[in-house]
Amino acid sequence: AQSVTQLDSQVPVFEEAPVELRCNYSSSVSVYLFWYVQYPNQGLQLLLKYLSGSTLVKGINGFEAEFNKSQTSFHLRKPSVHISDTAEYFCAVSDGPGGYQKVTFGIGTKLQVIP
Amino acid sequence: EAQVTQNPRYLITVTGKKLTVTCSQNMNHEYMSWYRQDPGLGLRQIYYSMNVEVTDKGDVPEGYKVSRKEKRNFPLILESPSPNQTSLYFCASSSIVGDTQYFGPGTRLTVL
């Protein structure tokens, strides 16, 4: 069975400050990891994904994440946040690329950017 | 425009009255999936489909049915809805080649 733990339910951060949203996973098979973003009253949008290869993954809007197999983590980072980054962020693990099969999401982290 | 559409977007119904939420994608994707989103619980997968006539249970399939008779459509059926199925539902699709999962706009369902 696979699971995802997002350690922070809410993260307030000042505009232009760096941010890290934490995600830990467990899985008994090869993992594929994703971060999605959900803006208020909208659906989910892929931010970035790790399927294989380089452990540092760059996504849209200046976000990046690092896959750490030994720590079973996939933390999301941005060096300088903007007001427009205020949203809910979901980490997800799948047993197939692109979410082929079962996909498990974390409970989400609400990022609040303070002007 | 590549998109996943869901209908209806909002629905209020009563316990026991069968309903169907439709999902359609125009990207020729093989994989489709249904999720429900509840406060404090994130998204949970209900059912997924690898291709036409191939479906499998996700983490919370109880009380739901799906069918995949055509590649583009993946309806979610609640045969006898109950109040604990009040939720925000999302349909998603992706290519079997492996890539971005595209989400629909969501259907907010209230069961009284």
Side-chain angles (χ1 to χ4, degrees):
Chain A
Q2 58 196 26
S3 67
V4 174
T5 302
Q6 290 185 245
L7 297 161
D8 306 295
S9 59
Q10 293 190 39
V11 173
V13 61
F14 286 104
E15 195 173 15
E16 297 184 9
V19 70
E20 178 179 82
L21 305 184
R22 296 178 293 168
C23 172
N24 287 89
Y25 69 90
S26 68
S27 176
S28 58
V29 297
S30 297
V31 292
Y32 302 90
L33 296 156
F34 306 83
W35 276 99
Y36 288 88
V37 59
Q38 184 179 32
Y39 298 105
N41 301 312
Q42 293 189 27
L44 278 78
Q45 169 182 350
L46 183 74
L47 205 53
L48 50 80
K49 61 183 184 286
Y50 171 78
L51 305 183
S52 65
S54 173
T55 57
L56 183 62
V57 180
K58 294 192 183 299
I60 63 172
N61 300 340
F63 283 93
E64 63 180 34
E66 186 157 18
F67 170 59
N68 188 320
K69 189 174 182 179
S70 62
Q71 297 187 9
T72 61
S73 68
F74 191 55
H75 301 332
L76 180 70
R77 301 186 184 99
K78 186 169 182 178
S80 175
V81 297
H82 302 285
I83 291 289
S84 59
D85 293 324
T86 295
E88 191 159 18
Y89 293 80
F90 293 93
C91 182
V93 61
S94 150
D95 56 0
Y100 277 179
Q101 300 175 36
K102 286 192 69 174
V103 182
T104 302
F105 280 80
I107 64 170
T109 298
K110 290 184 179 175
L111 175 63
Q112 183 184 5
V113 180
I114 305 163
Chain B
E1 180 190 354
Q3 61 182 353
V4 178
T5 57
Q6 295 179 226
N7 283 292
R9 294 289 312 281
Y10 303 91
L11 179 60
I12 301 174
T13 189
V14 295
T15 299
K17 186 176 181 182
K18 181 179 178 180
L19 66 92
T20 299
V21 183
T22 64
C23 172
S24 183
Q25 50 94 4
N26 62 2
M27 295 167 279
N28 202 36
H29 284 166
E30 279 81 6
Y31 179 90
M32 298 186 74
S33 184
W34 276 103
Y35 301 88
R36 59 177 290 174
Q37 183 179 16
D38 301 289
L41 296 176
L43 279 86
R44 292 177 291 169
Q45 193 173 36
I46 303 171
Y47 270 95
Y48 60 91
S49 170
M50 297 283 286
N51 213 322
V52 175
E53 302 292 1
V54 181
T55 63
D56 208 346
K57 296 176 181 179
D59 291 321
V60 288
E62 295 78 18
Y64 304 94
K65 285 177 59 177
V66 292
S67 69
R68 188 90 183 274
K69 293 184 170 57
E70 303 168 284
K71 198 172 187 179
R72 64 182 291 127
N73 297 322
F74 189 44
L76 179 70
I77 303 155
L78 285 72
E79 296 254 349
S80 183
S82 62
N84 64 13
Q85 292 178 299
T86 292
S87 187
L88 179 58
Y89 291 86
F90 287 101
C91 179
S93 74
S94 66
S95 167
I96 202 74
V97 175
D99 220 305
T100 305
Q101 195 165 180
Y102 292 87
F103 281 80
T107 295
R108 188 167 292 281
L109 172 66
T110 301
V111 183
L112 302 174

